[in-house]
Amino acid sequence: MSGVNVTRTSNLEFNTPFIVTHQQAEIIRALRRRGVISRTDIARMTGWSRAKITTEVSVLIDKGFLKEVGDGTSEGGRRPRLLNINNELGYVIGVDIGATSIDMALADVCGRVMQRQSVPADVRNSPEVVLGHCSQMILDMALAQGTSPEKIYAIGVGVPGPVEFARGTLVAPPLMPEWENFPIRQFFRTTFPSAIIVVDNDVNIMAIGELRAGQGVGLDDFIYVKIGTGIGAGIVSNGKIHRGANGCAGDIGHICVDKQGTMCRCGNIGCLEAMAAGPAIAERAMVAARTGESPILARRLETNGSFLRPEDVGAAFREGDRVACEIIQSSGRMIGEVLAGLVSFFNPSHIFVGGGVTNLGNQLLSSIRQTVLQRSLPLATRHLIIDYSNMGTEAGVTGAIFLTFDYLFYVSD
Ligand SMILES: [Zn+2]
């Protein structure tokens, strides 16, 4: 796997549970990359002397960071003892806070997921309410695991807004204005004193999920696009997430696609998000239902009561509704136009599309594909693959867990 780091974190104000030297960090990095390895493997990967490896590994085992997990295959002589990160050290949590839901998982420090939870939530509530709910969910998971809050060593949190990564705070989030500058790390630290808290944009953690455990494993340059209540992109460049100078690279939802378009939550006119995301799709369907333009959508509106969701548009499309088809195509075209710009600028090998609106079906994807192909240069699209992500809600929580692994072991020497 690419992009696995053990990072110097002093500029990020983390308290860090597990302190290691540079050499020890290199061993941890090798373990993260390869899973279970022997001392001989470490020698091959680092070029260090046998004696040096024996010493460093012993220190890591004494600290409780590594453990021997059985015997490998013999290459002549004694079978080598295999090493792994000590899964009994404690636990890490991945939290994906979406506009309308919280998805969460508890994993051991090797990344093995032991519990998952998903609940509906409204992120427009105050951060105290939403994060308080998250804290309670984590406490419940710890209890179910038979462990204490002190054994939670890391919490990775994805939030649906622009995150200043170094500080772990949201800056002018259109969807959740009350969260502006809220100290998310400090909030969690009061309940989970041993944990490092890493906060990132929700789409970035999804991209990390794809990179480390999904279709993005082994890819160097790809884009993950989330289409839900909002629209955003996570950019993987050279095998690493690209956050840009301030942390908001990939915030494509506020690129203008129609100067005469509707007003966006951010205050501008005709943003991609305001024109093509879930609420815009639902809104257009409501109009078609009320004006009688689409009898099928009108019937669904009547069944639902007073609202239509993007999935109603998907269902109407499957029933052969022409208007539903046009709504989906129009949304796909606008998203495709912005992605065509990204393709020209960044030349990714893959674009993975995820988020709640993907349950609209393949029409959305084919409209996106068609537009990107029409609007980009042949060289950029010759091998370009545009596909739905198949990780679903797993992408976010998995990415949040992997994100914390970059900060769990702190290099100090
Ligand atoms: Zn906007």
Side-chain angles (χ1 to χ4, degrees):
M1 283 186 291
S2 52
V4 183
N5 298 317
V6 177
T7 311
R8 253 180 201 287
T9 54
S10 54
N11 60 333
L12 294 175
E13 314 161 18
F14 292 127
N15 59 330
T16 39
F18 309 134
I19 297 183
V20 292
T21 64
H22 263 296
Q23 280 84 5
Q24 291 160 5
E26 205 158 320
I27 295 172
I28 303 274
R29 205 178 293 131
L31 279 160
R32 287 274 186 231
R33 221 164 27 229
R34 292 268 306 272
V36 172
I37 54 176
S38 69
R39 289 171 177 79
T40 318
D41 294 328
I42 298 172
R44 269 194 215 112
M45 292 165 87
T46 58
W48 300 342
S49 73
R50 186 86 204 171
K52 180 173 171 182
I53 290 163
T54 306
T55 311
E56 296 296 353
V57 166
S58 301
V59 172
L60 284 168
I61 290 176
D62 288 346
K63 285 180 172 174
F65 296 169
L66 293 197
K67 68 175 186 181
E68 293 185 328
V69 291
D71 294 329
T73 342
S74 163
E75 293 173 22
R78 219 151 39 98
R79 280 150 63 97
R81 300 288 290 160
L82 294 176
L83 300 158
N84 200 354
I85 294 169
N86 181 4
N87 62 328
E88 291 164 49
L89 261 179
Y91 300 95
V92 300
I93 302 282
V95 185
D96 181 7
I97 301 175
T100 56
S101 62
I102 299 170
D103 295 292
M104 196 178 278
L106 174 144
D108 65 21
V109 291
C110 295
R112 198 159 49 108
V113 172
M114 334 279 279
Q115 292 182 55
R116 287 187 175 84
Q117 272 207 35
S118 289
V119 294
D122 189 346
V123 82
R124 288 168 304 180
N125 283 326
S126 72
E128 287 89 350
V129 168
V130 177
L131 297 176
H133 195 166
C134 291
S135 280
Q136 190 53 52
M137 286 170 75
I138 301 171
L139 287 172
D140 291 345
M141 283 179 146
L143 192 66
Q145 205 61 40
T147 193
S148 66
E150 288 73 27
K151 281 286 198 183
I152 306 290
Y153 284 114
I155 304 174
V157 188
V159 285
V163 172
E164 190 179 343
F165 186 73
R167 291 175 53 231
T169 53
L170 283 143
V171 180
L175 189 64
M176 43 212 291
E178 283 189 57
W179 292 59
E180 169 89 37
N181 279 323
F182 185 84
I184 299 174
R185 283 196 204 134
Q186 285 83 334
F187 183 92
F188 279 118
R189 210 168 280 151
T190 54
T191 316
F192 306 99
S194 329
I196 51 151
I197 323 286
V198 193
V199 184
D200 204 345
N201 171 261
D202 62 341
V203 191
N204 282 350
I205 60 166
M206 288 172 179
I208 295 170
E210 278 294 347
L211 174 66
R212 306 280 176 88
Q215 297 165 94
V217 171
L219 299 181
D220 283 330
D221 302 289
F222 71 85
I223 296 173
Y224 180 99
V225 184
K226 181 194 180 188
I227 313 169
T229 309
I231 295 177
I235 302 161
V236 171
S237 174
N238 280 321
K240 285 184 176 164
I241 198 84
H242 173 80
R243 295 192 177 86
N246 301 100
C248 58
D251 209 346
I252 61 170
H254 302 280
I255 292 177
C256 181
V257 291
D258 183 354
K259 288 199 174 84
Q260 268 76 48
T262 44
M263 165 87 82
C264 178
R265 274 188 300 253
C266 74
N268 288 317
I269 301 288
C271 294
L272 177 65
E273 190 168 298
M275 300 298 294
I281 290 169
E283 183 53 39
R284 235 165 263 150
M286 291 285 280
V287 172
R290 286 192 180 128
T291 57
E293 200 189 342
S294 161
I296 295 178
L297 286 169
R299 212 172 47 240
R300 295 196 77 88
L301 177 61
E302 208 179 308
T303 317
N304 287 1
S306 59
F307 62 91
L308 283 171
R309 295 154 303 187
E311 46 265 48
D312 293 308
V313 183
F317 170 70
R318 284 190 291 278
E319 282 183 57
D321 187 53
R322 179 187 54 82
V323 178
C325 178
E326 282 168 12
I327 293 173
I328 296 171
Q329 281 177 337
S330 143
S331 190
R333 264 198 308 273
M334 287 186 273
I335 296 165
E337 275 171 27
V338 169
L339 292 183
L342 298 193
V343 165
S344 300
F345 182 76
F346 177 62
N347 188 201
S349 67
H350 292 67
I351 296 177
F352 300 115
V353 184
V357 173
T358 55
N359 61 18
L360 279 177
N362 279 327
Q363 182 58 49
L364 179 72
L365 189 63
S366 49
S367 297
I368 294 174
R369 274 188 188 138
Q370 215 177 355
T371 312
V372 172
L373 291 180
Q374 273 167 7
R375 302 286 299 255
S376 312
L377 287 174
L379 180 59
T381 54
R382 192 187 291 164
H383 302 292
L384 175 66
I385 291 168
I386 304 176
D387 221 333
Y388 280 145
S389 158
N390 55 21
M391 289 187 86
T393 54
E394 294 291 291
V397 286
T398 306
I401 287 166
F402 275 101
L403 173 64
T404 68
F405 288 165
D406 291 350
Y407 303 96
L408 203 53
F409 292 90
Y410 177 60
V411 180
S412 172
D413 62 359

